[in-house]
Each structure stands twice: as C-alpha cells, then as structure tokens.
Amino acid sequence: MLVLGIESSCDETGLALYDTGCGLLAHAVHSQTDLHEAYGGVVPELASRDHIRRVVPLLRAVLDKAGRRAADIGAIAYTAGPGLAGALLVGAGFAEALAFALKVPALPVHHLEGHLLSPLLSANPPRFPFVALLVSGGHTQLMRVVGIGQYELLGETLDDAAGEAFDKTAKLLGLGYPGGPQLAALAERGRAGRFSLPRPMLHSGDLNFSFSGLKTAVLTQARKQALDDNDKADLCAEFQAAIVEVLAAKALAALKATGLRQLVVAGGVGANRALRDALDAGAQAVGARVFYPEMELCTDNGAMIAFAGAQRLTFSTAVKGDGGFGVRPRWPLEEV
Ligand code: KG4
Ligand code: ZN
C-alpha cells in the first residue's frame, strides 16, 4: 500500500510516499529557515501560513518523483502532535480532507514516534527491542522501545531540550539562526577545556537531564570578558563537549540499565558529529551498536511520518482519531 506522509509540526513542511512493499519512494522537504531568520526563532503564525503555501506543490513533487498519481494513495499519515497548534492544523486539515476525497484512512502520527522509528528506514536497521535517545529542539528523552507503540520512558530533560540549549546558547553568542548547526560548526574550530562549564546531572544516578543551567553558565562566561572569534569557538567547543558528555553517559547508562545492546539516536541533534563520535566510541567499548537515521532524515521530514503510519497500518495499531482532525500540541509519547 502507498502511504502519504505529511509533517508540519514546526518550521519544515515535509511530504513523502512510502510503499509498504517497496519502501520509501520519494520525499521532499521545504525548510522555513529563511522566513524565520530575521526574528531569531520560529514565528508560529508565519509558519502556519507557509505550510499552507507549500503543501500542494510538495505533494505534486513527491507524486512526480515516485511516478504515482493521487489515486494510488492508500492511506495518509500526518503529524498530529506535539508541535505548534496552527502548524499542526494545516497538515491535519489537508490530510483529513484529502483522505476524505480519496476515500482512504487518515492516520494521526506522533511526531516523536516518527523520529524514533526513522532509523528503521536505513539500509542496516536495528531490531526491536532497543534504547532510543530522542534529541530534538523540543525534546530530550531516553526510551525503551519494545515494538511499534510500546514505548517506555526511561528519562527526560527536566527543563530545556538539548537542541533548545544549542539554539539559545547560539543566540546569546550572536551566532546565526538556526543556532544548533552553527554552534556545532564553530565548536569544530575551537578547543574544549579552555573555558570550564558544568556537566549537569552527570552523576544524578538517574536517566534525566537538565540543560538550562548550561546556557546561563555560557552567559556568565560571556559577561566576564569581550569574546573574539577564537574565544567564541573555544566556548562553543566546551559547551558542545558538556552536552555530548552528558548525553553519551546517560545513553550508555540506559543500555546498561535495560541490558540492551542497540541504541537508536533520533532527532535533529542526532546530526551532531561530536555526539555521534562519542556514542559510537562509548557503545563500541561495551559491545553495543548505535543506529542513526540517514543524515537527511535526522531533522523533520515527511518520510518518518509516512513510515510510522505504515507501521501502524501493518501492525493494526493505528492511533485512534477522534473523527475530526484534532491535533495535540502537547502529547506524551507514552500515551500513543
Ligand atoms: O528534530 P528537529 O529537526 O526538530 C524538532 O522536532 O525539534 O530538531 C531540530 C533541532 C534544533 O534545535 C537544531 O538546532 C538541532 O536540532 N540541530 C543540531 C544540529 N543539527 C540540528 N544541534 C546540534 N548540532 C547539530 N549538528
Ligand atoms: Zn522533530
């Protein structure tokens, strides 16, 4: 069956066609980075309006790329939450209307479930059960994943998400938008250890995180002296080292606590090179393996939503819609 996936939870419009027999046929993403850059962050109303503009051209693009027609679509999966309410409603409204017109089912999908399952789209996928480290702009969670829809929360951030910490710190250092990748690029040129930042909750004995203090610690350093480009690079390197050290230590602790040997890393921060290096080395040392989505599927995209919807169809575990197209801007993953 051909499943159309629609992602519109934040500032990317993503559409994809996934065939349950042949795999991913096509995906296309439009990023709104340029639209929000001037404001230094996502403006929800502008995001919603842009999703409206992009969704039909992107649908045409994926149908063309896959060589299929709208009438071939057998189900439509869309991100129903968590995310920005207005942005979610664009995808949900479009998906439900198209599904009604085509007389096919519409499947609400949890955005984080999409991220969580995205490594299963790669050439060498993990097998259930595994530990998942979800690190995005809005979430930082460790989950024990037993199967489709069977997610047990092991730990999460008590305040800022890892991506949020990257973005806010980049902003206060005057780096461009979006901050995470820019901060990471600058960190590559810098030297960790020259500045000293805390490793929050490294020894807390649980699998929770806290990143909001880190950005304050960076601000304190930045206020002590005028920072030139080299100083900024060194401060970024230390900031990245602090986040990576805590994320890697807790992810490995989760493997130990569950006795599992597969770690899946998903979400935008999973694109971070230093994090990947630390996780790969740490896992190898304990005989475990780390799985990542393809680089282009690390950040928000429609492919992961189409895939998650297809899995739920295959395993008959579709999340129940409410007959309309309600969205859940806040939606704990354990509740799917
Ligand atoms: O998963 P995602 O695309 O959107 C959300 O659902 O949040 O993640 C976006 C987040 C942003 O905070 C962005 O700054 C961060 O991922 N990010 C990175 C990198 N690439 C994206 N953070 C650190 N290093 C990167 N290379
Ligand atoms: Zn995301």
Side-chain angles (χ1 to χ4, degrees):
M1 181 192 285
L2 189 63
V3 181
L4 171 68
I6 302 177
E7 156 62 32
S8 72
S9 66
C10 189
D11 58 347
E12 263 106 24
T13 323
L15 274 83
L17 288 168
Y18 178 85
D19 186 288
T20 48
C22 324
L24 185 63
L25 300 184
H27 92 103
V29 177
H30 174 79
S31 170
Q32 302 176 357
T33 303
D34 294 347
L35 184 66
H36 302 294
E37 192 175 8
Y39 305 94
V42 178
V43 183
E45 183 58 28
L46 293 182
S48 313
R49 287 169 191 232
D50 200 61
H51 287 307
I52 294 172
R53 272 194 291 272
R54 306 292 171 184
V55 68
V56 172
L58 284 172
L59 172 60
R60 292 211 178 99
V62 290
L63 285 170
D64 280 355
K65 224 188 271 184
R68 301 291 180 97
R69 296 170 309 130
D72 298 333
I73 295 169
I76 303 179
Y78 64 92
T79 306
L84 302 170
L88 288 167
L89 278 168
V90 175
F94 183 77
E96 292 283 353
L98 186 60
F100 182 77
L102 296 174
K103 299 189 176 60
V104 299
L107 311 162
V109 167
H110 193 292
H111 180 80
L112 294 182
E113 181 174 39
H115 275 304
L116 190 64
L117 300 179
S118 61
L120 295 171
L121 276 167
S122 58
N124 290 309
R127 286 160 175 259
F128 296 119
F130 53 75
V131 169
L133 173 66
L134 281 174
V135 271
S136 70
H139 294 84
T140 300
Q141 297 186 331
L142 276 161
M143 317 269 323
R144 183 164 168 268
V145 180
V146 179
I148 303 294
Q150 294 172 270
Y151 313 124
E152 182 198 335
L153 184 67
L154 301 171
E156 64 183 334
T157 183
L158 305 178
D159 40 57
D160 288 356
E164 189 179 0
F166 266 94
D167 294 340
K168 286 179 174 172
T169 303
K171 198 170 175 180
L172 71 87
L173 288 175
L175 307 181
Y177 169 86
Q182 304 232 16
L183 195 159
L186 197 54
E188 293 291 313
R189 293 203 275 117
R191 185 167 50 91
R194 203 188 118 210
F195 292 94
S196 172
L197 294 176
R199 271 44 178 174
M201 295 185 69
L202 186 59
H203 303 294
S204 62
D206 58 21
L207 297 173
N208 291 329
F209 306 88
S210 166
F211 293 120
S212 71
L214 258 182
K215 97 189 155 243
T216 315
V218 169
L219 187 62
T220 309
Q221 296 280 2
R223 280 192 177 144
K224 275 192 202 156
Q225 62 181 96
L227 301 172
D228 66 20
D229 284 353
N230 283 337
D231 299 331
K232 272 191 191 174
D234 289 346
L235 193 48
C236 287
E238 174 66 9
F239 171 83
Q240 179 172 271
I243 292 218
V244 164
E245 192 177 328
V246 178
L247 287 174
K250 300 258 170 164
L252 293 171
L255 286 177
K256 197 169 173 196
T258 54
L260 297 174
R261 295 190 167 272
Q262 298 178 100
L263 174 69
V264 157
V265 181
V269 186
N272 186 276
R273 178 49 52 198
L275 177 62
R276 289 185 171 213
D277 290 347
L279 290 172
D280 289 344
Q284 202 185 8
V286 296
R289 237 189 104 186
V290 193
F291 298 80
Y292 305 94
E294 303 293 338
M295 213 54 163
E296 61 180 317
L297 300 185
C298 269
T299 46
D300 291 350
N301 63 84
M304 66 184 193
I305 303 304
F307 181 72
Q311 296 308 301
R312 287 193 165 268
L313 270 181
T314 307
F315 295 101
S316 307
T317 55
V319 175
K320 296 281 177 295
D322 60 4
F325 53 92
V327 295
R328 291 187 64 179
R330 291 175 185 273
W331 185 7
L333 183 54
E334 314 87 271
E335 285 182 16
V336 301

